[in-house]
Amino acid sequence: MKLILASGSPRRRELLGLYTAEFEVCPSAFDERAVHADNPAALAGALARGKCLAVAAQHPGRLVLGSDTVVELEGRVFGKPADAADAARMLRALSGRTHLVHTGVWVSDGERDEGFVDSCKVTFFPIPEEEIQRSIASGEPFDKAGAYGIQGSAALWLDRLEGDYYTIMGLPVSRTVRLLHRFGD
């Protein structure tokens, strides 16, 4: 059964490519604004499920993988920043603090669906204002939850992490592969 990645994220494409080159990309048009959840981790799972099932409905009989990542600081969700001011606000809030990154992963074959949420604790050193501005000027924050990519500028700010590095990038590869295997892929 050919695999569909229900995400336009280049990072997810790259990470799924560690497992297989045999997949196509079909970003979901799922309306994320309609999703509400009890907590940020549940939100990541609900968003991943919504994206997965929206694409699965358009491709019966295909195996679909959906994923979504949210950044949480003290119960508040940091999604993708709306603009430069929002990106700066997020990075300043994360500076010198510990936050959580939750990535939801969902798979459907049209008959059944299953998923999980993986969480990682991330601590940043204090981020100098000039580095925040340089990151924003580069455009890096604008397509990433929490306004950063751990594989990008945030590598300069990372003090420590507890959990799966790939969860922060947007696809916990080893757990995702195990989930795909349960679907016979």
Side-chain angles (χ1 to χ4, degrees), residues 8-93:
S9 163
R11 290 160 301 284
R12 288 193 182 101
R13 272 195 306 263
E14 175 188 343
L15 293 173
L16 186 57
L18 295 172
Y19 170 60
T20 181
E22 299 297 315
F23 67 92
E24 74 179 81
V25 174
C26 182
S28 175
F30 177 71
D31 183 8
E32 298 181 24
R33 295 169 299 178
V35 176
H36 301 284
D38 292 337
N39 57 63
L43 178 63
L47 291 170
R49 184 175 190 267
K51 289 177 178 182
C52 174
L53 296 182
V55 172
Q58 299 169 347
H59 300 277
R62 300 284 298 276
L63 187 61
V64 179
L65 168 65
S67 185
D68 200 87
T69 301
V70 299
V71 171
E72 173 189 357
L73 179 65
E74 297 177 342
R76 295 176 313 196
V77 172
F78 287 15
K80 295 175 184 173
D83 54 28
D86 196 29
R89 175 191 63 80
M90 289 182 195
L91 292 175
R92 287 181 192 120

Side-chain angles (χ1 to χ4, degrees), residues 84-173:
D86 196 29
R89 175 191 63 80
M90 289 182 195
L91 292 175
R92 287 181 192 120
L94 298 173
S95 177
R97 299 180 68 195
T98 299
H99 62 279
L100 295 169
V101 178
H102 308 287
T103 294
V105 176
W106 213 267
V107 174
S108 174
D109 63 6
E111 300 281 316
R112 67 187 177 103
D113 62 275
E114 185 180 340
F116 65 88
V117 176
D118 195 65
S119 300
C120 187
K121 191 182 291 189
V122 180
T123 303
F124 283 163
F125 287 111
I127 308 169
E129 184 63 27
E130 60 272 9
E131 289 184 27
I132 291 173
Q133 295 307 318
R134 188 170 30 252
S135 177
I136 291 168
S138 76
E140 180 184 321
F142 299 108
D143 69 337
K144 295 169 184 69
Y148 75 87
I150 198 68
Q151 72 284 3
S153 299
L156 304 172
W157 313 324
L158 181 63
D159 179 9
R160 65 186 168 281
L161 63 87
E162 296 174 39
D164 185 342
Y165 176 83
Y166 296 107
T167 293
I168 307 167
M169 283 185 68
L171 191 69
V173 179

